[in-house]
């Protein structure tokens, strides 16, 4: 099972990493090297095609690694073998849960660092209930699990509500790390620019549709990381089922119920989220990596 509580869980991760050493793009294993090459080739084609959609004259002002952690009030560094994990005072999280997040992140660093040459580690901030982010000059209060500017924010309250098990939490965190990958690849910037253009034209439905593609690609990335966790004996079939259950429960059609409509959906349906998580899990050749080349009907 994925759950390896407390010190045993974390020590197993630290031991594995200490044995394998730092895995860079030119991996020491032929398997990782081949996988990195496949990802590089698919990513090159993906970037070349997707950047054609960039709006000329629009500056990148959205999300590329420009957040200053020092604006947070009452935050503390978490004592672990990863330098950039923080928690906000009064978070009320137990050590096992915090160590779970650290462990998943360390394997994410290992995996994505082996297949993407431009990888840099995201920061993790764990908080409880609400957090004030004023990076745009205003006092903005946010809640929930989300990603912004190189930082994964985990809301303990929401996490325990939607993902009470370790495997569910790993899926949510992996999804947010997927957004970090989109940031590094400039996908977030490009999509945001196109969304702003569509909204300015009054085409909110198509702007939301772009957001759905973005969220489903993050689910694909989460599934790809789950496959790597399985290779490290940190993921089992039962954990895969649990991750699928969580992805089902956070589909827009489930959350919104009778209020759901395709035009207003921003995250995708439960069926779509499960499908793209599983595609990432099983797609060893990254054939479905560029989700933006698929038609709407192919998302289901």
């Amino acid at each position: 099972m994925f759950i390896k509580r407390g010190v045993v869980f974390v020590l197993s991760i630290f031991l594995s990493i200490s044995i394998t050493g730092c895995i860079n793009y030119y991996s020491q294993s032929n398997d990782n090297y081949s996988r990195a090459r496949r990802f590089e080739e698919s990513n090159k084609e993906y970037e070349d095609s997707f950047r054609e959609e960039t709006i000329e004259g629009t500056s990148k002002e959205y999300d590329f690694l420009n957040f200053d952690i020092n604006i947070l009030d009452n935050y503390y560094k978490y004592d672990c073998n990863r330098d950039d994990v923080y928690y906000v005072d009064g978070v009320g999280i137990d050590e096992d849960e915090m160590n779970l997040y650290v462990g998943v992140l360390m394997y994410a660093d290992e995996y994505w660092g082996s297949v993407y040459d431009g990888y840099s580690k995201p920061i993790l901030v764990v908080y409880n209930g609400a957090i004030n982010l004023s990076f745009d000059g205003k006092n903005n209060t946010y809640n929930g699990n989300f990603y912004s500017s190189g930082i994964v924010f985990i809301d303990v309250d929401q996490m325990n509500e939607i993902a009470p098990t370790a495997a569910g939490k790993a899926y949510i965190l992996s999804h947010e790390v997927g957004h970090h990958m989109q940031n590094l690849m400039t996908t977030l910037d490009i999509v945001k620019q196109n969304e702003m253009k569509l909204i300015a034209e009054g085409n909110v439905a198509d702007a939301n549709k772009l957001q759905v593609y973005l969220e489903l690609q993050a689910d694909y990335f989460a599934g790809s990381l789950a496959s790597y966790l399985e290779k490290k004996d940190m993921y089992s079939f039962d954990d895969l089922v649990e991750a699928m259950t969580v992805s089902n429960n956070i589909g827009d059609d489930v959350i919104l119920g009778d209020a759901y409509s395709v035009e207003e959906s921003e995250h995708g349906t439960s069926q779509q989220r499960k499908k793209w998580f599983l595609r990432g899990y099983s797609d060893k050749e990254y054939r479905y990596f560029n989700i933006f080349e698929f038609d709407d009907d192919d998302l289901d």
Side-chain angles (χ1 to χ4, degrees), residues 80-96:
C80 64
N81 280 19
R82 202 175 185 276
D83 293 335
D84 40 16
V85 176
Y86 302 89
Y87 64 97
V88 177
D89 189 24
V91 70
I93 186 172
D94 64 43
E95 190 173 353
D96 284 347

Side-chain angles (χ1 to χ4, degrees), residues 36-243:
R37 283 299 186 193
R38 290 196 299 271
F39 190 86
E40 178 192 50
E41 291 168 1
S42 59
N43 186 52
K44 180 67 167 62
E45 181 180 353
Y46 159 74
E47 288 184 338
D48 288 346
S49 62
F50 196 43
R51 279 186 175 138
E52 294 178 2
E53 302 299 323
T54 305
I55 303 169
E56 293 192 12
T58 303
S59 62
K60 289 183 178 180
E61 55 186 19
Y62 174 52
D63 217 12
F64 191 75
L65 301 179
N66 57 2
F67 187 87
D68 183 0
I69 189 70
N70 294 314
I71 72 165
L72 295 176
D73 295 326
N74 301 319
Y75 73 95
Y76 301 92
K77 200 166 188 177
Y78 186 65
D79 186 14
C80 64
N81 280 19
R82 202 175 185 276
D83 293 335
D84 40 16
V85 176
Y86 302 89
Y87 64 97
V88 177
D89 189 24
V91 70
I93 186 172
D94 64 43
E95 190 173 353
D96 284 347
E97 186 173 348
M98 200 74 180
N99 289 339
L100 169 67
Y101 297 143
V102 172
V104 172
L105 269 186
M106 292 180 74
Y107 273 129
D109 294 339
E110 186 177 297
Y111 172 63
W112 289 118
S114 72
V115 299
Y116 184 64
D117 193 26
Y119 181 78
S120 63
K121 297 178 182 179
I123 296 170
L124 174 65
V125 173
V126 180
Y127 72 101
N128 191 359
I131 192 168
N132 179 37
L133 306 180
S134 55
F135 56 87
D136 60 356
K138 301 177 182 178
N139 289 327
N140 292 319
T141 300
Y142 295 84
N143 56 32
N145 307 303
F146 64 98
Y147 173 83
S148 180
S149 308
I151 305 182
V152 172
F153 292 89
I154 295 297
D155 180 347
V156 174
D157 283 353
Q158 187 190 69
M159 185 67 91
N160 288 328
E161 179 183 348
I162 66 175
T165 67
K169 289 177 172 64
Y171 157 66
I172 297 294
L173 179 57
S174 299
H175 172 91
E176 299 305 334
V177 173
H179 286 312
H180 181 63
M181 292 303 299
Q182 293 169 328
N183 190 359
L184 296 176
M185 297 172 184
T186 71
T187 308
L188 285 182
D189 283 315
I190 295 170
V191 169
K192 188 64 176 180
Q193 291 165 15
N194 281 277
E195 285 180 344
M196 292 169 62
K197 179 176 183 290
L198 289 167
I199 291 173
E201 295 171 349
N203 191 350
V204 177
D206 280 348
N208 288 344
K209 190 180 298 181
L210 267 182
Q211 187 64 32
V212 168
Y213 274 76
L214 199 68
E215 295 295 337
L216 295 181
Q217 189 186 51
D219 280 333
Y220 172 93
F221 286 150
S224 188
L225 179 57
S227 179
Y228 186 73
L229 292 173
E230 184 179 53
K231 289 182 179 179
K232 294 294 183 177
D233 295 325
M234 300 300 298
Y235 218 75
S236 70
F237 178 78
D238 289 341
D239 297 319
L240 181 65
V241 171
E242 178 58 33

